[in-house]
Amino acid sequence: MNAGRLVIMGSGETAPTMVEVHRATLRAAGDGPALLLDTPYGFQENADDITEKAVAYFGRNVGRTVTALRWRTRLGGADTDRALASVRSARWVFAGPGSPTYALRVWAGVGFDDAAAAVVASGGTVTFASAAALTLGLVAVPVYEIYKSGADPSWAEGMNLLERLTGLRAAVIPHYDNTEGGTHSTRFCYLGERRLRLLEGMLPEGAHVIGVDEHTALVLDLAAGTATVLGNGTVTVRFDGASRVLPSGTVVPVTDLARVAHSAGPSSAIHQAAEAAEPAPDAPAPAPAATSLRAAADRARAAFDAAVAARDADAAAGAVLDLEQALADWSADTLQSDDADHARRTLRGMVVELAAAARDGLADPAQRVAPLVEALLDERAAARACRDFARADALRDRLVAAGVEVRDSPSGARWAMRG
């Protein structure tokens, strides 16, 4: 059978941004077991919750039933054999968030790499995202140890499935464009430039870095020999500080991911942008997908505010419903942040304001009172024509008291509601 696919995701593996990538690679893998590995997060107290959300995401958002394989610690004897048999028999194998070094310790020396390679060799798909993606290379970033515990930058031994399947001798770095640090750099999977440069100097001979942005996938189709960039960001091939950036939509031979890096050299330009297909001149530009629940909430809030300002009740309600749907779509996202709290606060605020609008009315008050005001102005005009100025002034005073500003002009009286 033809070789299958190795898919590397920078993040967003259980977010709306990666739904279509999952659907396409699951279809390509064909019928058969779809397996979710819980190893990378097996040490976490909320492991059951992460598994439950991930399984629900694939069922609800992607439309495919996946089975969770419980492999949270080092297994022994027949348990290891059964776990490996489950992996080998799967058509699609997925692993995502957690700790790369923990997963590598659990999988080390038991033949897991052989089992994963067998899935791809038989035409299936292996999708590793976030922490799991770090394990694929020749070496791996021990991200928790460096970023959280202050360990000196160093490489951990990787599973090297990438070189085994594709010949690419590289370290894989997801979360390549991360910006969570705010005032300090968390690019390159929380390393920042300084630590990445240190690690580059420690790479094994002939190795380079392949960086995958958040909410981005690098699909390596071994049968076709192609590497495709999908999603919201880019893939970066970096060698000794010099990079080539491949934007979303790029399709290149897999071998280019090695040649590009080594041809870049330390003296080349920092960025050599890959050519991307240009849309047709008259094609409307699609709205960019929200890259986080916070971004989706902010977008819905802006749409709601614009609808209220335009006195468009249907559009305001639509913005509320869009945010409610976004909360459901992002409910399985494993990224730990306050985005969900922010989105819920935003939704509650919109609902309260929509209720106030329903109570007070979104329609322009001037439209509601126009028939009465025009009738009084006609009566005032008649009084002025009869030179009954006392009556005309009394009518004007009553309008002013009701919040209507009247201005006389040669062409007649003009009016407006006072703000």
Side-chain angles (χ1 to χ4, degrees), residues 20-348:
E20 291 306 320
V21 178
H22 284 309
R23 287 176 178 167
T25 54
L26 277 160
R27 282 196 302 269
D31 295 333
L35 203 63
L36 182 151
L37 297 174
D38 62 5
T39 312
Y41 58 85
F43 65 97
Q44 296 181 207
E45 292 298 319
N46 65 337
D48 288 340
D49 184 53
I50 294 173
T51 296
E52 181 181 350
K53 287 183 176 180
V55 170
Y57 165 84
F58 284 105
R60 179 186 63 245
N61 296 45
V62 181
R64 182 67 176 265
T65 299
V66 303
T67 302
L69 174 62
R70 188 182 179 94
W71 193 347
R72 299 183 182 179
T73 60
R74 293 279 294 184
L75 302 176
D79 289 337
T80 301
D81 295 335
R82 281 190 287 269
L84 291 173
S86 295
V87 173
R88 284 180 176 275
S89 64
R91 298 298 302 159
W92 180 87
V93 176
F94 168 83
S99 164
T101 49
Y102 181 82
L104 287 167
R105 288 196 302 271
V106 172
W107 292 333
V110 298
F112 173 77
D113 52 342
D114 294 334
V119 173
V120 178
S122 66
T125 297
V126 170
T127 298
F128 272 25
S130 299
L134 285 158
T135 70
L136 292 171
L138 177 67
V139 288
V141 176
V143 60
Y144 278 107
E145 291 84 344
I146 294 174
Y147 184 63
K148 295 291 187 181
S149 302
D152 291 336
S154 64
W155 295 106
E157 183 179 357
M159 188 165 44
N160 207 20
L161 193 62
L162 181 64
E163 185 176 20
R164 178 172 179 172
L165 293 174
T166 68
L168 295 172
R169 188 174 174 82
V172 176
I173 301 184
H175 297 285
Y176 203 71
D177 63 340
N178 182 272
T179 58
E180 290 178 30
T183 57
H184 65 281
S185 175
T186 51
R187 295 173 64 203
F188 319 130
C189 200
Y190 308 95
L191 290 173
E193 176 68 24
R194 181 185 66 83
R195 287 184 290 210
L196 179 56
R197 288 305 300 263
L198 289 172
L199 285 171
E200 276 189 303
M202 305 175 194
L203 278 169
E205 181 67 27
H208 61 283
V209 167
I210 296 177
V212 184
D213 284 354
E214 297 185 333
H215 300 280
T216 305
L218 175 62
V219 180
L220 302 171
D221 187 323
L222 276 63
T226 56
T228 303
V229 182
L230 299 171
N232 293 345
T234 66
V235 167
T236 300
V237 183
R238 173 168 167 150
F239 180 74
D240 196 19
S243 299
R244 183 185 181 190
V245 179
L246 308 177
S248 182
T250 297
V251 182
V252 296
V254 170
T255 52
D256 274 11
L257 298 184
R259 286 202 299 267
V260 167
H262 292 289
S263 64
S267 61
S268 69
I270 292 299
H271 292 293
Q272 304 169 17
E275 294 182 1
E278 292 291 335
D282 57 347
T291 57
S292 67
L293 180 54
R294 177 178 289 271
D298 292 344
R299 180 179 296 180
R301 176 80 240 192
F304 179 85
D305 290 343
V308 171
R311 302 184 183 280
D312 188 337
D314 289 338
V320 171
L321 293 174
D322 286 345
L323 180 49
E324 189 277 334
Q325 183 61 53
L327 277 162
D329 291 343
W330 286 86
S331 61
D333 188 23
T334 55
L335 180 65
Q336 296 181 355
S337 70
D338 64 350
D339 284 10
D341 292 337
H342 171 76
R344 281 190 287 268
R345 285 193 300 269
T346 301
L347 180 62
R348 288 195 295 268

